[in-house]
């Protein structure tokens, strides 16, 4: 709720693209990508948009999953597809109070 907090500053600016640390990912190793994040103001945090815009996801199967304080994942799913239209998006899953590893094994 602090308007000067990092999350407030990032989420108030749709063009914010926080940098991702660490080495780049070699996408050639992956056909299917499980993309997990906390819901921030009904959508994915901007750093997830940084990720989506940093690589060519053409033809990759993407499965989003999220945690939240109660909001659904639908608005985030729409936003993800807008930021990364070339991926093949599968239905996402809200994993509040759920065993994520167990869910992943059902895919
Ligand atoms: C900046 C910010 C915005 C959030 N916006 C929402 C929201 O719109 N809807 C919701 O249900 N929860 C919201 N939350 C709660 C987070 O989704 C929840 O804390 C998170 O999924 C749990 O993971 P954590 O333990 O890493 O915070 C928000 C949290 C933060 C920090």
């Amino acid at each position: 709720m602090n308007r000067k907090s990092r999350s407030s500053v990032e989420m108030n600016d749709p063009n914010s693209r926080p940098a991702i640390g660490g080495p780049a990912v070699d996408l050639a190793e992956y056909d299917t990508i499980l993309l997990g994040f906390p819901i921030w103001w009904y959508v994915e945090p901007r750093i997830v948009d940084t990720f989506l815009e940093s690589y060519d996801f053409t033809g990759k199967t993407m499965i989003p999953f999220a945690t939240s304080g109660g909001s659904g994942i639908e608005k985030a799913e729409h936003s993800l597809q807008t930021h990364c239209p070339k991926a093949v998006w599968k239905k996402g899953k809200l994993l509040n109070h759920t065993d994520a590893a167990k869910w992943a094994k059902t895919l």
Side-chain angles (χ1 to χ4, degrees), residues 16-56:
S16 169
R17 292 293 181 272
I20 298 174
V25 180
D26 180 7
L27 277 191
E29 292 181 36
Y30 305 97
D31 297 320
T32 301
I33 296 161
L34 275 64
L35 185 67
F37 52 89
I39 301 279
W40 278 10
W41 304 121
Y42 306 102
V43 294
E44 71 284 7
R46 304 283 183 228
I47 197 166
V48 175
D49 300 335
T50 307
F51 178 68
L52 294 175
E53 292 171 1
S54 297
Y55 299 95
D56 180 6

Side-chain angles (χ1 to χ4, degrees), residues 37 39 42-43 66-77 93-94 96:
F37 52 89
I39 301 279
Y42 306 102
V43 294
T67 56
S68 79
S71 296
I73 195 174
E74 295 76 15
K75 277 195 179 170
E77 288 182 282
K93 180 89 174 160
L94 196 66
N96 289 342

